[in-house]
Amino acid sequence: MLWLLALVPLLAGAVALAGGGRSRLWLGALAVAALLLTLALSIAGAAQGWSGTLAWSGALRLQAALTPLSATVAMLVPAIALPVLAFAAAEERRAGLPRLVALLLAFVGGMELLVVADDLLTLLIGWELVGACSWALIGHDWRDARNPRSGLYAFVTTRFGDLGLFLAAMATYAATGSFAYDGLRGLPEPMLSVIAAGILLSAAAKSGQLPFSPWLFRAMDGPTPVSALLHAATMVAAGAYLLARLQPMLGGAGWFAAAIIAIGLATALAGGVVALLQSHAKKLLAASTSAHFGLMFVAVGAGFPGIAILHLVAHAGFKASLFLAAGLAGARAGSFALYRMRLGRALPAIALLSAVAALALAGIPPLGAAWTKEAVIAAAGERGALLAAGCMVAGGLSAAYAARFLLLAYGPAGDAGPGGRPAIVPCAALGGLAAFSLLLSLLWLPGAREAAARALAAAIPPSGTVELVASLLSVALGVLVGLLLARRYPAIGLEGRSRAAAAWLGLPSLISAGAVRPFERAAGAAAWVDDRILDAGPRGAACLAQGMTRSLALLDRRAVEGSVAVVPAFAAWLALLDRRAVDGGIAGTAAFADWLARLGERLADGLPEGAAAIAGMSGHDARRLQSGMSHHYYTLMAIGAAAMAAALFLEA
């Protein structure tokens, strides 16, 4: 039954794609029904402790299980995806809508498989499915050439990180003979460090942590529902979830916790600065995503994975809401530039719902996201006051860019047209997400800490009074800074040094100079070697065949044709011997000789020409395999993988 968590949305996606001509209502109803069923299954699975195993062969087994942490995320994914897909079915352009809904459902299915995985092999399948869906979703509107390029940029960046997960899986199998998570417990060094390093690399790339953060900006070229789902509860959440899930197994590597904390805190601070200076509404939220997942990394590194999951839950609610609100504002203003919006009067209901999400992003009590942020600071305080202070600064920056976003996107002073009643579905989607954020306010009630700890089977450190006061002061200061920037510098980040800082502090340029361009030069050199050296063999074979053809043709003209000419001459000589007696025989001999001549000519011409044609076709087809296009290589790899799978099944 547990496999249905992934299969239900995947099958629903296939149905949505097959029924492409159906209405928006049909697509939306299908998506909502599939996600409600997935949510119900996840609740039942969490209550009953479902697990499952699929034996592929003696060595390859797919394992799934629901722990308290994974059950929480398994319920979160369909709960957040439901309003996002309803929004997509109602608001996105009709052209390509079935494909978009199908991919979003497949996205959910891949994430559910990743979440319930209890071994690295199952995890890899879900991990790769999520990555492939993200590539297709970012480049969904392929008519704009920038979108497929952005999808490829995001795909290549995260694929580089995925190499770490492949390394971890191979090392785990080599050390334990299986891919099971439980096999990671008690592994000796240096194997444990190899596995931990590979998983950390993959998690950092997936969750947009430094130095991989810029790919989240390129992902903003996808449709708004894609941004909302990708940042809230699916792909970007995968890295933080994986670290929280495996932290008890990998904590034995002495450097692991410190590395997670360093990456997380650096990203939280850098992402906060970038978001504060960013003028593009969706990119501001994308930088905010990196920053908040950085805080989750800090909680995991501090030894409190349950805190990271709680903040992941709170973050999913307000971030999905803010992305949908940003999409509505961008569509109404005709641009995602924040200084062109101020739609509070034009869209008052959306502005009110956005305010709930923005206050949660800022970490203002009594919203639940404020409680989870304070819990992260308390967890950091267990490792030292300086780390807690760094998280407080990150929280202050979060309050600053949340206030700036809300005032610029939905402030009251805009001139973007008259007000009007927004569509029912967008309001309902944002309303549901706002209600989710408000519901989490229950975490502030007495006994909530103990209840959350029991639900997640995790420790939750108490928050000191001094820490709480200092954190709230940093939030208040951040709100003031955000309001000041919004009022006095609404177009900050569009020119000068602020523009460079808003583009991830110049990191994309550094990546381009240090990685992309050298790789392109290396690819050009490899292409030259391929054309000039590796192709020399096929070209030489073709030249040899052509030479043989010319030689045989010359032989045909000088020897064969001469021999053919002798036959009729000999027949004529015989005719002179006895023209009357053997006229009939001689005529037959001449006809036979003529047939022999034609046969010899065909054989002499056909053999060299056929050999040359076969050699030319072989060389041409061999060169087509080396096209330099990644999708060709992936197709060949997929065919090979299918052949290997078929062989394994036949052997089994």
Side-chain angles (χ1 to χ4, degrees), residues 373-374 392 396 466-480:
K373 186 207 68 176
E374 299 303 331
M392 289 179 194
V466 175
E467 287 178 339
L468 180 59
V469 171
S471 177
L472 293 178
L473 286 175
S474 70
V475 169
L477 179 60
V479 170
L480 291 176

Side-chain angles (χ1 to χ4, degrees), residues 567-645:
V567 175
F570 179 68
W573 177 74
L574 289 175
L576 292 174
L577 294 179
D578 191 355
R579 189 173 297 173
R580 293 180 178 179
V582 292
D583 276 349
I586 293 173
T589 302
F592 179 70
D594 185 60
W595 177 80
L596 285 177
R598 288 196 304 271
L599 177 62
E601 186 173 359
R602 289 178 182 175
L603 290 175
D605 288 344
L607 288 175
E609 290 176 358
I614 292 172
M617 290 170 60
S618 300
H620 181 266
D621 290 340
R623 292 187 64 184
R624 289 177 62 188
L625 295 177
Q626 303 173 12
S627 64
M629 297 182 181
S630 59
H631 62 280
H632 289 176
Y633 299 153
Y634 275 110
T635 301
L636 293 173
M637 292 168 63
I639 294 172
M644 292 174 63

Side-chain angles (χ1 to χ4, degrees), residues 43-384:
I43 294 172
Q48 301 177 22
W50 286 352
S51 62
T53 301
L54 290 176
W56 193 340
S57 68
L60 302 179
R61 303 170 67 85
L62 304 182
Q63 301 178 64
L66 285 177
T67 67
L69 291 183
S70 61
T72 301
V73 181
M75 291 184 284
L76 174 71
V77 172
I80 298 299
L82 195 153
V84 172
L85 265 83
F87 181 99
E91 291 295 308
E92 287 301 309
R93 291 190 305 175
R94 187 64 182 85
L97 184 60
R99 173 164 47 91
L100 178 63
V101 172
L103 285 171
L104 287 170
L105 286 168
F107 207 23
V108 172
M111 186 66 187
E112 287 285 57
L113 182 61
L114 184 157
V115 169
V116 303
D118 199 37
D119 69 287
L120 290 170
L121 182 60
T122 308
L123 173 71
L124 270 171
I125 297 173
W127 197 269
E128 293 302 299
L129 180 57
V130 166
C133 287
S134 71
W135 166 76
L137 286 167
I138 295 169
H140 170 70
D141 188 6
W142 51 268
R143 293 172 181 82
D144 184 345
R146 175 178 170 81
N147 296 338
R149 289 198 298 268
S150 293
L152 184 61
Y153 183 96
F155 184 68
V156 170
T157 302
T158 54
R159 286 293 294 167
F160 177 80
D162 293 351
L163 296 177
L165 194 56
F166 279 95
L167 173 65
M170 290 186 288
T172 301
Y173 187 82
T176 67
S178 76
F179 295 99
Y181 288 165
D182 286 340
L184 299 174
R185 299 182 187 274
L187 278 180
E189 295 286 3
M191 189 62 76
L192 182 61
S193 288
V194 170
I195 296 169
I199 289 173
L200 180 56
L201 173 64
S202 293
K206 218 74 161 181
S207 288
Q209 301 297 286
L210 291 175
F212 305 102
S213 306
W215 79 260
L216 291 181
F217 277 9
R218 299 296 294 269
M220 294 303 96
D221 289 334
T224 292
V226 173
S227 302
L229 191 57
L230 185 146
H231 284 256
T234 52
M235 182 168 172
V236 186
Y241 163 76
L242 181 61
L243 289 181
R245 177 75 170 82
L246 298 183
Q247 186 270 341
M249 294 86 158
L250 302 177
W255 57 270
F256 187 59
I260 297 175
I261 290 173
I263 292 172
L265 183 60
T267 307
L269 295 173
V273 173
V274 171
L276 188 60
L277 299 175
Q278 183 55 240
S279 62
H280 188 285
K282 287 174 66 176
K283 289 182 179 180
L284 182 154
L285 297 175
S288 162
T289 297
S290 289
H292 276 266
F293 277 100
L295 292 176
M296 297 174 209
F297 272 49
V298 171
V300 173
F304 296 93
I307 296 295
I309 295 300
L310 282 173
H311 194 57
L312 189 153
V313 171
H315 175 268
F318 67 70
K319 188 54 61 70
S321 179
L322 288 171
F323 266 112
L324 297 183
L328 292 172
R332 184 62 175 264
S335 169
F336 283 105
L338 282 166
Y339 70 94
R340 295 182 179 177
M341 293 181 177
R342 294 188 184 271
L343 297 167
R345 291 193 179 123
L347 299 171
I350 301 299
L352 179 61
L353 295 172
S354 299
V356 175
L359 291 173
L361 172 61
I364 295 178
L367 290 166
W371 188 90
T372 59
K373 186 207 68 176
E374 299 303 331
V376 170
I377 293 174
E382 296 291 314
R383 295 295 294 253

